[in-house]
Amino acid sequence: MAQRAELKNSLDDFPTPPWATRALIEHVIVSKNFLSSMTCLEPACGRGHMSVALAPYFREVASFDVFDYGFGGIADFLKTKHAEGSFDWVITNPPFRLGEEFANRAMKIARYGVAMLTRTVFIESVGRYERLFRPNPPSRVAQFTERVPMVKGRIDKRASTATGYAWLVWEKEQFKRGRTELVWIPACRKTLEREGDYQQAPRMPKFLTPATIIPMRKEVDLFTRG
């Protein structure tokens, strides 16, 4: 079982298993009944696994990444100008070393909420507490009870991991309460996995409306199984 560790200049390319994204909606976000009328920004979309999993829940999902993985637009989230409140939600699995910067940036852009998938150890550190969590405590910290296997450079159904993950969520309506709720995401992988989840470059689901924005600029490895 591998632990996730990356160099400082790494792109931190660890695709998110789609079931782990669906778990955020199904078990963590409080206001999920309103998502179908909302927009979402995925600023570190990679090959699109998280964007495609989010698309059925939102009216629009805009996808970007700093590197050209063949899916979405190319943009550096920390440098690109997004108007304040230009998206309802910002949801992503950020590069671990930039997680703090991504969270602070996202909170200025999102109207309703921010969700970051991070290693559980991300909530540690006195410095991060003083800079991020003390002034902006998450409304929810949702710990996976199952491990979420992530493999560098590919998605793999058979992978294992020694790394624990959690969703950190800032829902602005809940945020007003000024306290953080700790919740556990129950074992849900078997119920939330879907056919085609482990293609290296997923297709946009056919049932989505034309208004849904999941930019896919070229098709690569569309039928390669993980």
Side-chain angles (χ1 to χ4, degrees), residues 46-223:
R47 294 163 183 80
H49 295 91
M50 183 173 286
S51 294
V52 171
L54 289 170
Y57 297 101
F58 285 90
R59 177 168 60 85
E60 296 178 355
V61 178
S63 309
F64 297 91
D65 201 287
V66 70
F67 184 76
D68 183 4
Y69 290 100
F71 185 100
I74 303 173
D76 185 333
F77 179 58
L78 299 180
K79 296 179 180 179
T80 302
K81 293 183 179 180
H82 290 288
E84 185 172 340
S86 53
F87 290 91
D88 294 311
W89 278 84
V90 178
I91 300 176
T92 194
N93 174 0
F96 185 80
R97 64 186 178 86
L98 298 176
E100 190 175 328
E101 292 88 339
F102 264 62
N104 281 320
R105 179 91 172 99
M107 280 187 271
K108 297 177 182 178
I109 295 169
R111 284 188 289 266
Y112 289 95
V114 172
M116 299 281 173
L117 179 62
T118 72
R119 283 178 268 180
T120 305
V121 296
F122 185 77
I123 64 175
E124 298 177 354
S125 162
V126 173
R128 188 172 294 123
Y129 167 72
E130 294 292 345
R131 294 187 300 268
L132 176 62
F133 297 128
R134 184 177 181 180
N136 295 294
S139 53
R140 280 192 158 191
V141 174
Q143 175 65 43
F144 279 93
T145 57
E146 294 175 285
R147 291 296 169 92
V148 183
M150 298 192 203
V151 180
K152 186 175 183 178
R154 73 183 195 278
I155 192 162
D156 188 343
K157 187 174 184 177
R158 296 175 295 276
S160 61
T161 183
T163 302
Y165 286 89
W167 278 105
L168 306 185
V169 180
W170 291 262
E171 283 191 78
K172 294 194 174 180
E173 287 302 313
Q174 304 296 319
F175 179 75
K176 293 177 182 177
R177 299 179 182 180
R179 57 185 175 85
T180 300
E181 181 182 11
L182 173 63
V183 298
W184 283 267
I185 300 173
C188 58
R189 175 174 176 171
K190 289 183 179 180
T191 59
L192 294 180
E193 283 185 324
R194 303 287 183 267
E195 183 179 355
D197 277 355
Y198 293 92
Q199 294 180 26
Q200 298 306 321
R203 285 187 183 276
M204 185 172 68
K206 293 181 180 179
F207 59 81
L208 295 177
T209 64
T212 302
I213 303 171
I214 310 182
M216 185 177 290
R217 292 171 290 100
K218 60 185 179 182
E219 296 185 354
V220 286
D221 297 329
L222 287 177
F223 300 99

